[in-house]
Amino acid sequence: MEKAAIELEATARTLKLLGDNTRLTVMGLLKDSECCVCEFVEVLKMSQPSVSQHLRKLRDAGLVKERRKGQWIFYSLNTEHETYPVIRHVLEQIPDQKEKLRALEEAGLRIQCDV
Amino acid sequence: MEKAAIELEATARTLKLLGDNTRLTVMGLLKDSECCVCEFVEVLKMSQPSVSQHLRKLRDAGLVKERRKGQWIFYSLNTEHETYPVIRHVLEQIPDQKEKLRALEEAGLRIQCDV
DNA sequence: TGCATATATAAGCATATACTTATATACTGA
DNA sequence: TCAGTATATAAGTATATGCTTATATATGCA
């Protein structure tokens, strides 16, 4: 019972974070592959600090993980998160963001890292 | 493509509304049966204006429908909503709220209406 | 018609949110 | 060691949010 209440609150916290165009797009991009900050900046056409602040919210909530690779920090979905089942389902419902990454690639702006 | 963008935004709008403990609980209650405002007030232990304001947001977004039955106004899920598939899935993930309605019933506070 | 009940709305306020610009930190490579 | 790139953080600000109290509206019933 106590646990149940927590689950509802955890779900609400996650949904609140997903309930923003920028963050939902970020999560949609991460569904397909890990990305670094500068890629988000390019795709979202937003300032770097703004993107970083959104990523921090997602990370603070445990929805994404980060991993440094050289000068870049790559973000990826945290599939271990308590609410990941809901997240995955949401990401399956929204339009695929792959195309945006492909456009980046064609523009030569996709970060390739072999580490 | 244009449509896809709208879908993401519509999803974000819905998730933002669900990303609040009060509204998520309301939707969880409506999953099981229609309810009137005074029932929400009782279950949520919140002021009537506050509850009404949350319901208005849900209604303005089209997530719930309202129907007057005598002096009461009953709310129910709008299963026709564009984002209803996501909503239903979310409501399946959170703990069942039926028990709260049962408690109301035992306290003799459940509104019965034969209209 | 008039009072009680149910609900909605308005106005006010404290806090949260999402940007901005400026600056700090961390890594890379010459 | 130093310049350049990537990222994070801080501070400021405008707007959004969620409550409160007060009041308006709609219905039921005597």
Side-chain angles (χ1 to χ4, degrees):
Chain A
M1 189 132 85
E2 189 56 31
K3 181 166 177 289
I6 290 168
E7 278 169 19
L8 186 141
E9 284 156 26
T11 305
R13 264 194 303 279
T14 289
L15 297 179
K16 185 177 190 175
L17 285 167
L18 297 183
D20 171 273
N21 288 329
T22 300
R23 288 190 295 263
L24 188 55
T25 305
V26 162
M27 296 293 279
L29 288 162
L30 292 181
K31 182 186 136 208
D32 296 316
S33 69
E34 60 177 13
C35 295
C36 69
V37 182
C38 58
E39 291 173 323
F40 290 128
V41 169
E42 192 62 34
V43 168
L44 300 167
K45 306 291 180 203
M46 285 180 65
S47 75
Q48 175 265 316
S50 190
V51 168
S52 279
Q53 284 159 11
H54 281 295
L55 288 169
R56 184 144 107 93
K57 290 196 173 196
L58 293 173
R59 191 203 54 196
D60 284 353
L63 268 51
V64 302
K65 295 180 295 185
E66 61 179 38
R67 166 164 83 110
R68 182 175 277 280
K69 295 210 277 187
Q71 49 187 157
W72 299 285
I73 295 178
F74 279 75
Y75 284 84
S76 58
L77 294 186
N78 175 17
T79 59
E80 306 298 317
H81 193 273
E82 177 182 9
T83 64
Y84 180 68
V86 178
I87 294 171
R88 188 181 44 200
H89 189 267
V90 167
L91 298 182
E92 278 163 9
Q93 300 294 314
I94 61 171
D96 204 316
Q97 306 292 306
K98 273 199 197 91
E99 183 202 314
K100 288 173 183 166
L101 291 177
R102 202 155 38 233
L104 255 197
E105 218 156 312
E106 275 160 27
L109 293 169
R110 192 91 165 90
I111 304 298
Q112 300 291 352
C113 186
D114 317 321
V115 177
Chain B
M1 189 130 87
E2 189 57 30
K3 180 165 177 289
I6 291 168
E7 278 169 18
L8 185 140
E9 284 156 27
T11 304
R13 263 194 304 277
T14 289
L15 297 179
K16 185 175 189 176
L17 285 167
L18 297 184
D20 171 273
N21 287 329
T22 300
R23 288 189 296 263
L24 188 55
T25 305
V26 163
M27 296 293 280
L29 288 162
L30 292 180
K31 183 187 136 207
D32 296 316
S33 69
E34 61 176 12
C35 295
C36 69
V37 182
C38 58
E39 291 173 324
F40 291 128
V41 168
E42 192 62 36
V43 168
L44 300 167
K45 305 293 180 203
M46 285 179 63
S47 75
Q48 175 266 314
S50 189
V51 168
S52 279
Q53 284 158 11
H54 282 295
L55 288 168
R56 183 144 106 95
K57 290 194 175 197
L58 293 173
R59 189 202 56 196
D60 284 354
L63 267 51
V64 302
K65 294 179 296 186
E66 62 179 38
R67 167 165 82 108
R68 182 175 278 276
K69 294 210 279 187
Q71 49 187 156
W72 299 285
I73 294 177
F74 279 76
Y75 285 85
S76 58
L77 294 186
N78 175 17
T79 59
E80 306 297 316
H81 193 272
E82 176 183 9
T83 65
Y84 180 67
V86 178
I87 294 171
R88 187 180 44 199
H89 189 266
V90 167
L91 298 182
E92 278 162 9
Q93 300 294 314
I94 61 171
D96 204 316
Q97 307 292 307
K98 271 199 198 94
E99 181 203 315
K100 288 173 182 166
L101 292 177
R102 202 155 38 232
L104 255 197
E105 218 155 314
E106 276 162 25
L109 294 170
R110 192 91 166 91
I111 305 298
Q112 302 291 352
C113 187
D114 317 320
V115 178

